[in-house]
Each structure stands twice: as C-alpha cells, then as structure tokens.
Amino acid sequence: MRPTLCIDLQKFRHNGRKLCEMAAKAGLTDIAFVTKSFCALPEMVKALEGLPNPYLADSRIENLAAYPETAKQKILLRLPMLSQCEKVVRHADISFCSEPEILTALDREAGRQGKEHKVVLMVDMGDLREGVFFRDEEGILALGRQALEAENLLFHGMAFNVTCYGSVIPTQQTLEDFRAIVERVEAAIGRKLDFVSCGNSSSVYLLDKADFTGYNNLRLGESLLLGRETAYCHDLPDLYQDVLTMEAEVVEVRQKPSYPIGKIGVNAFGQTVEYIDRGDRLRAIAAVGQQDADYAGFTPVDAGVEVVGASSDHLLLDVTDHPVKVGDILRFRVDYSAALRAFTSPYVKKVCK
Ligand SMILES: *Cc1c(COP(=O)(O)O)cnc(C)c1O
C-alpha cells in the first residue's frame, strides 16, 4: 500500500536520548515526550521506553488510552473538556488545567474512581493560547488554592506554552517572569511544586544559553520527531532530521507546458494560483495528495525533483532535471504539518524500520 510514511526508529530513539542529555545539562531532568504529532503510534511510543524521560504526553485522550504498556506517567496536554473528565481521570495521570469548573469536575470524578489525579496549572505568558493570563495574579493564586484544597487532586505543578498561536519566542526574560509567578504560588501554598515546565521545542534553543534554575521539565514533540528547534527553526546538530521519509509512486510522466491552457479561474481548493511559464517541462505525477499530507511541507530527497502543486490525490512534480518513469518511488522529507497530516491519514501506510 502506498503512499508510505517510513519511520526510522533508531534515529527517533537517538533524538530522544540526545534531547534528554541536552536538557539534563541545563538541569531539566524530567522531560515529557509529546506523542500527538505521530498519533502515539505504538512502535514509536515503545521506542522511547528505557530513555530517562519520566513522562509521556499527548493532546488526545484516545492516544493516551491506546498507549502500549508503560511505566511513564501520562500527561494530557490539551485542556480537558467538561464532558470528558471521566476518561481524563481514567487514562491520564496528569492533566493541564486553566479553569475552576474543570478542576471541580476532575476532583469529583477522581473521587468517584477512587484515584488521585494530578493537575498542572497553565499560565498564559503572552502567546494567547491556553492558561490564566500572567497579569491575573489573583486568578492564578485562586486556581492554585483550589488545586491544593481539592480532596482528590494533587497540585503537581505549573507550566506555560508559547510559539503556538502568538508565535512568541521564549527568552531568558520569559523564564524569569514565569519563575517569579511560580515562586509566589509556592509561597502562598507553603510548599515547592514537583513539576515546573518551561515550554516546548521552541525552548530548546535556550538549553545552552539560559538559566533554568527552578525548572525541571520541558515538553518535546517536534524536536524529537524532526530534529529541529522551533523558535528559529534550526536543525539540531546532534539529532537526525530524517527520522521520517514519505514514499510515493509515480503514475504518470509526460512532457507538458508549465502554464495552464485556457481561461484561468481557481484551483481544486478555490484558491487563486500564480503560474509561471517556464516553457515545456517533463512533468511527473506521484500518487500522494492533500488528503494524505500537506504537500507544501514536502522536500524531495532527490536533487532535480521539484514539487509544483497538488490536488487531493495527485502530487505534481517537475522532473526535467531528474527524469523518472512510471512505477518509480519518489522520496520526500516532511515538515511538521506534512507529518501531522500523514500520521493522521488512514490512507498513508506507516512502516517502522
Ligand atoms: C503540542 C504541545 C507541546 C509540544 O510542542 P512541540 O513544539 O511539538 O515540542 C507541548 N506542550 C503543549 C501544551 C502542546 O500542546
């Protein structure tokens, strides 16, 4: 079955080990590897066993529920839905929260299931996604007190998330500002928190630069999968960028003009596209499309192959400088967006080696 997403488990595990080492050097000993981008594919989750990360994290409760047997603690990253609390308490050891109603519901549900559920309070440091806004000190303290006093909840820690909606890059200042908030909460509740988390793969660039005093956790997804940090999108030199390879089969090779013939309107997705006339070119079609992956994130492995567009099922390539024939397999590196959609698509076969 094709298209196929090939996963090199050895390289993947290597990335995990290296990230744990890099983080430990900065004093961050309690890494959470994030499995959402690869839909918690069991072989990949298993490949992380034996690494020193105490946590695995995912945004989907379905993925946590389907994890292979693991001794690691399971974190639900996404804010729990009120309607989901039964499953959250059942399948996650820890959840990230920002609303009193959710804490109340999780507490009640944990009592019902006879469990202690750990909660991490989210603070929004300016990226404007989830969390109590950092200037709302009273709101943060109130939620902290509620987490502390809830009978069946354990107030495990605090976290912030950036570089998701607001494209905010974490800096030494962000670390200091959040640390001050954590210290105020710790003073108010009279104890230290077990889990103080300073973001995601966009904090990796700070590992050899910033002072991480007071922190012990990072949540890492993209850096693990693609071997790059996400603040400046630089490759991490000791990690592999080619854990993933998309393979697609060539189904047509024809000499064609590069500029469409006829009256031009919109494409299959209602978009207005600028076409460049480069004269006649050797064009190939590979059997992978928008329903399988985000083709804009494809980089051909072979020099001379150029992606020119895609519809739902057809990837259009200029192969003038790298002629191919029907039945050949073409390979592509994928970015985060292409990988996410490929892992999620039932039409893409996943093969681990
Ligand atoms: C997705 C997610 C992460 C992981 O982000 P990467 O950039 O892939 O490392 C961390 N924390 C939260 C809350 C997330 O939703």
Side-chain angles (χ1 to χ4, degrees), residues 34 36 59 77-78 96 122 129-130 161 164 199-202 219-223 230 336:
V34 175
K36 67 186 180 196
S59 54
L77 289 171
R78 175 190 216 196
F96 281 15
M122 286 307 273
R129 205 178 76 173
E130 76 275 43
N161 194 62
C164 272
N200 55 43
S201 296
S202 70
R219 303 147 350 238
L220 301 176
E222 182 165 346
S223 50
T230 58
Y336 189 75

Side-chain angles (χ1 to χ4, degrees), residues 233-303:
C233 305
H234 291 150
D235 290 350
L236 296 165
D238 295 333
L239 275 69
Y240 290 108
Q241 285 75 48
D242 57 352
V243 168
L244 303 176
T245 312
M246 183 66 126
E247 293 185 351
E249 188 174 325
V250 175
V251 292
E252 182 186 291
V253 185
R254 298 258 166 208
Q255 192 78 17
K256 291 186 189 183
S258 43
Y259 197 85
I261 314 299
K263 189 169 149 66
I264 304 286
V266 294
N267 72 4
F269 299 99
Q271 297 155 335
T272 306
V273 180
E274 291 280 341
Y275 300 94
I276 299 160
D277 190 352
R278 301 165 69 190
D280 279 10
R281 306 289 293 177
L282 186 64
R283 303 272 289 233
I285 297 179
V288 59
Q290 295 269 44
Q291 202 160 12
D292 307 299
D294 178 4
Y295 82 95
F298 280 10
T299 306
V301 169
D302 296 312

